[in-house]
Amino acid sequence: TNMSTCATSKLTSLCSGNYRGCVTSSSLLSSTSTRHAHKKKKINRRLISTSRPSASPSAHATSSGVMEGVGTIVDGSWCDEFAHLNDRLPHEPLALPQINSTCRVVLVRHGQSTWNAEGRMQGCSDISVLTEKGQGQAAKTRDMLMNVKYDALHHSPLKRAAETAQIVWGDGRDGSPVHVHASLREIDLYTFQGLLKNEGVEKYPDEYALWKDTPADFAVDVGNRVHRPVVELWYRGSLAWQHVLEDADGGVAESRLVVAHNAINQAMICTALGLPPRFFRKVLQSNAAASALTFSPASEEGGQVGVSVGAINATPGVRSLRPRSGAPAQVLLVRHVDVDSKDGYAEASRVAVLLRKCSVSTVCACTSRNTLTTAGALVEELRAKPPPIGSFVTSAETLDDLEGGESLLRTKSARLLVMENLAAPEGEAWERSSEAWAALCEEADAAPIGSSLVAFASAEVIAAIVCRALGVEDSQAPATIASLQGDMPYGALSCILRPKGGTEGFLRCYNTGTV
């Protein structure tokens, strides 16, 4: 497509006013499958054939200073293949659509792209494609999700997401509907698209500083209009939910796979939870990582649709749990196991083996039986197989010694700390989470660089600590805690990253290993 022209007739022919109808003949997924009828309700979709700029290893600027192929400014307005949709609006997000049946949605970000590897700002441009590494990441995610059943696939029209969708969706799903939504494209970054990060700093120092520090305030001057990309994205994320959940009305529980991008996935997760644009970048989305949310019908007519978080940014193995080299200690939150269940002790041992690979420096737990037993399994694992940071030696012989009052057990390189503020009566977790999070931050600051602090607690306490770490406001906390704790299984692991001395953090993953 020649992006230097933006004829109205061509824009009209692209989607004929149908927001969802941006299906391209160049899509890696067969356009024929897109036209399969939904099991419960036939959906008519128009197929559109558009040409796209091919991937190019080099960046060429147009006379306006914008990279060729990512868009251009025409008559004072930004022009690209999505301009006619008129969805770049700084509006408040829409409420989730009403549904009549439970619907589970698995969100996947595309694998590493060529521009990810180069460090370019992609936005909604469609020049980059998956690297070999990105294809491998998508294949591993497909294997991780092998046992998940889907009734439909929804994906972004951009090549990097379409290719990831093809890999994750796999074979053997003939007859299942495939939908391509323009609302699932990546954030619109306008003139920033195609820039290397250092180029953004050099060309737009003030704007780039906002983009990095307070992205919700980030604005881009485009001809006669000032765009606020993150605010617009939040509105578009809510539009995407209208499309993905549109047909969840058949009275039968369904599961849907959505393959899109980093920023739009963040916006969808946050708008589903009612969190505003300032939470951009607080819920990380790694290449080919998966998140899962379950939506349930409102309990009363016109009420709010129920949302329960199954996982956020889950990756195969321990990729999303290993501490980052040279970074301040991360905080790993683990739901204790039920030791009275048949597999309780086996589950505690499984969690301990997984955590041994995470350079644990500090283990925190309250004195409840379930929590101490789960923490004890980790202690025994670290004793038997010392982590890379050193051996684990404690002065206590049994867990009874802990319950007898010894609160801090010093070791050569790790320690077991009993923290009573990790326990809270039902309904009081939010009030107590401030003290618990402050204590965890203090311990993390004292822990070795590149290590993990592990805290064992109940589902409600973990959800409350996550809300506190992200900076959720008091008025929003009860609903967010309810959504976060709803689908948390025993042994689920979550990770919070934070700068040393900081009080707010970033959610690296939530309930990983449970998609």
Side-chain angles (χ1 to χ4, degrees):
T1 302
N2 182 354
M3 301 309 297
S4 65
T5 61
C6 198
T8 302
S9 60
K10 181 169 184 178
L11 291 178
T12 303
S13 68
L14 278 173
C15 290
S16 298
N18 181 352
Y19 185 90
R20 299 178 309 152
C22 265
V23 184
T24 69
S25 60
S26 61
S27 172
L28 293 169
L29 293 163
S30 169
S31 60
T32 303
S33 65
T34 309
R35 292 184 289 180
H36 281 296
H38 190 280
K39 293 178 181 179
K40 300 295 180 181
K41 176 182 176 182
K42 184 172 181 178
I43 302 173
N44 293 320
R45 306 198 184 280
R46 178 169 180 171
L47 299 182
I48 296 94
S49 174
T50 71
S51 59
R52 296 184 182 277
S54 59
S56 170
S58 59
H60 301 284
T62 64
S63 58
S64 63
V66 181
M67 179 185 288
E68 184 178 357
V70 304
T72 190
I73 300 173
V74 175
D75 296 332
S77 297
W78 182 256
C79 182
D80 61 12
E81 62 186 294
F82 303 112
H84 68 294
L85 298 173
N86 295 320
D87 62 355
R88 291 160 171 161
L89 303 170
H91 292 175
E92 288 293 318
L94 301 170
L96 291 169
Q98 292 296 316
I99 58 177
N100 295 322
S101 60
T102 300
C103 184
R104 190 168 190 260
V105 177
V106 176
L107 283 168
V108 175
R109 182 190 174 190
H110 64 79
Q112 185 197 59
S113 71
T114 49
W115 279 17
N116 285 152
E118 292 176 19
R120 290 191 184 276
M121 301 173 71
Q122 298 182 106
C124 68
S125 66
D126 199 20
I127 296 177
S128 65
V129 296
L130 292 189
T131 62
E132 184 177 348
K133 177 179 179 180
Q135 293 170 346
Q137 291 170 332
K140 289 180 180 178
T141 298
R142 176 198 60 211
D143 295 342
M144 179 178 73
L145 301 174
M146 185 177 299
N147 295 324
V148 180
K149 306 297 182 184
Y150 306 110
D151 299 294
L153 167 65
H154 303 253
H155 71 81
S156 157
L158 305 182
K159 289 194 290 286
R160 57 193 185 271
E163 186 178 356
T164 302
Q166 182 192 35
I167 296 170
V168 177
W169 184 244
D171 300 323
R173 299 181 191 269
D174 292 341
S176 298
V178 175
H179 309 300
V180 181
H181 305 301
S183 57
L184 289 173
R185 71 185 186 275
E186 183 56 300
I187 186 172
D188 301 302
L189 289 177
Y190 307 101
T191 53
F192 276 65
Q193 291 176 171
L195 294 179
L196 293 168
K197 293 175 183 177
N198 65 302
E199 292 173 339
V201 174
E202 293 168 2
K203 292 185 69 172
Y204 309 103
D206 295 337
E207 292 89 342
Y208 192 81
L210 283 176
W211 169 243
K212 297 303 291 182
D213 299 332
T214 54
D217 298 325
F218 171 57
V220 182
D221 256 323
V222 181
N224 299 328
R225 182 175 171 185
V226 176
H227 286 274
R228 296 182 64 193
V230 175
V231 175
E232 294 173 0
L233 178 72
W234 247 239
Y235 172 69
R236 182 152 57 78
S238 72
L239 280 178
W241 282 126
Q242 313 301 309
H243 305 148
V244 171
L245 296 176
E246 179 187 29
D247 306 308
D249 58 1
V252 178
E254 295 183 350
S255 180
R256 298 174 184 191
L257 174 64
V258 175
V259 182
H261 308 266
N262 178 12
I264 185 63
N265 284 8
Q266 290 186 54
M268 292 179 72
I269 292 169
C270 289
T271 54
L273 295 174
L275 301 176
R278 71 178 182 84
F279 283 84
F280 182 66
R281 290 211 193 96
K282 291 203 169 191
V283 180
L284 304 188
Q285 294 287 285
S286 304
N287 285 123
S291 303
L293 296 90
T294 300
F295 300 86
S296 54
S299 57
E300 57 185 34
E301 187 175 352
Q304 289 188 335
V305 171
V307 182
S308 185
V309 176
I312 294 176
N313 206 37
T315 58
V318 294
R319 179 158 64 98
S320 57
L321 293 175
R322 282 182 172 156
R324 298 179 177 183
S325 177
Q330 63 182 12
V331 177
L332 296 179
L333 302 172
V334 187
R335 185 182 181 190
H336 61 67
V337 304
D338 179 5
V339 295
D340 293 323
S341 69
K342 181 174 120 178
D343 300 320
Y345 285 95
E347 181 64 18
S349 296
R350 183 195 70 80
V351 171
V353 170
L354 189 63
L355 288 173
R356 194 185 70 80
K357 302 174 183 178
C358 299
S359 299
V360 176
S361 61
T362 308
V363 181
C364 303
C366 66
T367 54
S368 77
R369 182 164 168 263
N370 282 335
T371 303
L372 272 182
T373 301
T374 314
L378 176 57
V379 169
E380 294 304 321
E381 179 67 24
L382 294 175
R383 279 174 172 164
K385 300 175 182 178
I389 58 172
S391 60
F392 192 106
V393 180
T394 176
S395 60
E397 295 297 327
T398 68
L399 291 176
D400 291 336
D401 293 333
L402 290 178
E403 296 173 296
E406 186 172 12
S407 62
L408 180 62
L409 306 176
R410 299 194 176 279
T411 66
K412 288 183 179 179
S413 60
R415 56 182 182 170
L416 178 56
L417 177 64
V418 175
M419 296 174 60
E420 283 307 324
N421 49 24
L422 287 175
E426 186 174 350
E428 297 182 17
W430 177 242
E431 287 73 17
R432 299 198 66 173
S433 64
S434 180
E435 290 181 10
W437 175 238
L440 290 174
C441 287
E442 183 178 350
E443 293 301 326
D445 283 342
I449 293 294
S451 68
S452 299
L453 177 149
V454 179
F456 294 91
S458 67
E460 185 183 10
V461 169
I462 288 174
I465 289 174
V466 167
C467 287
R468 189 69 69 178
L470 296 181
V472 174
E473 295 180 359
D474 290 347
S475 59
Q476 184 63 34
T480 309
I481 290 171
S483 292
L484 289 174
Q485 76 175 90
D487 282 345
M488 188 186 299
Y490 292 113
L493 299 100
S494 304
C495 179
I496 298 173
L497 304 176
R498 50 178 288 280
K500 191 165 186 176
T503 57
E504 287 196 9
F506 311 88
L507 190 59
R508 186 181 185 188
C509 64
Y510 191 78
N511 288 0
T512 189
T514 63
V515 179

